[in-house]
Amino acid sequence: MSLERPRPDQSYVTDDGVDYDAIEELLGEHVLGRETHINAEGFVIRPDEVQEVLFALRDQAGFDHLSVVTAQEYGDRYESIYHLKKYDDPTQELSVVVPTSKDNPVSQTAEPVYRTADWHEREAYDLVGIEYEGHPDPRRILLPETWQGHPLSLDYDQDRPQIVTLTEHANPIADDHYESESDTMFLNIGPHHPATHGVLHLKAVLDGEQVVDVDPDIGYLHRCEEQMAQQGTYRHQIMPYPDRWDYAPGGLMNEWGYARAAEDLADIEVPEYAQVIRTLGAELCRICSHMLALGTFCLDIYGDFTAIFMYAMRDREKVQSLLEDLTGSRMMFNYLRLGGVAWDLPEPREEFFEKTRDFLDDLPEATQEYHDLITSNEIFQIRTIDTGVLEPEVAKQYGATGPVARASGIDYDLRRDDPYGYYPELDWDVATDDGCDNYARLLVRMQEVEQSAKIIEQCIDVLESWPEEDREIQSNVPRTLRPEADTEIYRAVEAAKGELGIYIRADGTDKPARFKIRSPCFSNLHTLPEMSEGEYIADLIASLGSLDIILGEVDR
Amino acid sequence: MSDTPPETITGSTDPMTETREARMGGVDNRFNSRLREAFGSSPFILTKFDQFMNWCRGSSMFMLQFGIACCSLEMMHTYAVKHDLDRFGSGVPRASPRQADTIIIPGTIVSKFAPRMKRVYDQMAEPKFVVNMGSCAISGGPFQEGYNVIKGAEEVIPVDIHVPGCPPRPEALVYGVVKLQERIAEGESSPVTVKPYELEQFNDLEQDELVNKLASQINEDDLVMRYNWADSP
Ligand code: SF4
């Protein structure tokens, strides 16, 4: 079965995962101390030795995936946490904890080791206020350049007026960052532009029709999701927000991301029956989300508003109506609860099963239709094959996950590699492709739709034969959750766009002290310059479409 | 079989008669619009030009293709199959603000985007109308307490219709748009002058280099917005 894979043999690994003692030996005197997070061990190191440590971990211990950088402020210090994983086996995790002092919050940048740290550290600077020495581009990333203060730091005063000008979000006293005397043209794409899938701003420098430089400017939808989560109580108040990160709708998958982290943090069991329902719902969301990707991608590439876009919308409507039957809402489900789901399948159950089966029965025909219209279309092929090439090594450097990584031949899917829910019991395959180009990314999504359909079908069968007296939808969860102080966890699920991770630090109250979201779109979007520099501007648009970003998740 | 079509087809005048009858009234009065009723017996109608223009405006609206956040997904569904806003004469999204006369604000507006949205609004030709879609555009919605979130589109541009919901269902948006059309046709919604901004009240800010530089750049055409969570409604 595809779900099993021989583990590559490496040193620093024992039978039950990473051999932390050997790693401590490897790092030698760099290690100042060890912390135990629920998901992995954390090694505390000095702020000026970050690169040395990370190079050792990457090159010798094989940690080639920097999931996310979490920055936070404590009463007496700042802290950046580098959450490391392996693409080959994401259950092997490790955290590198870098404390810095209050009066001089400067830490060495990790950008030379992992390219993806570039944006993550900019975000850490923007929201928390840690500075990274040697960072190639130390600007704000989400908030306007003129913003005063760092909103997630402890002493931030939210009532302080802020000024935002229209002319430039750039800092007006900083130097212009493009040369003025050259033949290139500077082109703004967005933030209001049909091809940017929302409010993304691309600062592109063109030489003729070729892209010399492109700098995604994000933050036009920065809705303070992390602040919102930090203000909410674990049990009920946080759950509505994940729906709004990836609203494609990836709702249930995102909710699962939060649920998984919080359940592991507070040690809550989820009944198996609820896991099946979750799996079913999440896969429906995945289909819905990939349909959107498909429809808008074709809209971008050859302006096909009439056929493919409408067909994709038609299929989305079907899924949304199924999801509405299940959860009560078309998009913003708020259906998962810590320890289970909100309610059982809709009555009469047979009707729901039948409706779902009808949809699945129609799906192969619909997929065939898409293949006829899209993948075998010559114009489409010319536009997408060999454009926007993303080599696997580059993709890993940027922390790309999800269909973007899988289309570059990286066999990485958390549903299989870091199993959760009911996935391990089911029979399905991980779709990958070696094409590395825009075409491959579309193909992978279309295959994933088929695989999701397969999963849903099996879930329906399981649910149908589930004994009636055993339908437990929620386990017993205390009314107020107060996870122990100073427990920390990072947990991820495979959302439609890739690895969606949540870091939570509890402080003994009923609200998280730090809630950090690892958004797959954020890292995926970071690969855009790599894919499009030197290519034609039209291919830039195609590449952007093939990344399938949702700005709500990029900006959070 | 012969090549000539049967007599029943060539000789029949039925289709023509039916169409004519349908147009003149009679059996099928699908085509009887108000205008046709008015034309009915005489070739003249008497109306005020304003009224006529309002009716025209309300009957054919061009939406701006403008997506912000989650609500824009439901907006796309409103345009697309099943809900098909075009049935009501307002379903052709235009990509350029110059060609549009209605803007739907489908999502959360944050500090960085508000000035851009204002600019897009300014670029639309008069008369223009605004539909607020979803609680975010109405009041900041679930994100109202965020440090970066504008408490509703009305802080930035004038709004004609609010469609509440998070997100509103496509049916709700259709209802909102049709209501707007009705109001326009009846002359109840008219172009509004943009409310003036709170301009440079820099006094309570630390007068550092950045603030001074910004203050010196302000002129009437340039938008400077001031966000103050404490004073916001
Ligand atoms: S109102 Fe709700 S659905 Fe609409 S943009 Fe705001 S959060 Fe999203």
Side-chain angles (χ1 to χ4, degrees), chain A residues 32 118 210 250 261 332 335-336 342:
Chain A
L32 302 182
D118 178 352
Q210 264 165 339
M332 300 302 170
Y335 177 60
L336 265 51

Side-chain angles (χ1 to χ4, degrees), chain A residues 222-257:
Chain A
H222 175 53
R223 305 193 273 193
C224 331
E225 301 270 14
E226 286 170 10
Q227 182 204 11
M228 292 295 121
Q230 280 164 217
Q231 286 174 359
T233 54
Y234 290 104
R235 184 78 200 278
H236 290 303
Q237 290 182 346
I238 297 179
M239 199 54 95
Y241 286 99
D243 288 325
R244 290 158 180 84
W245 303 338
D246 171 5
Y247 43 72
L252 290 177
M253 291 176 282
N254 300 358
E255 287 177 21
W256 205 342

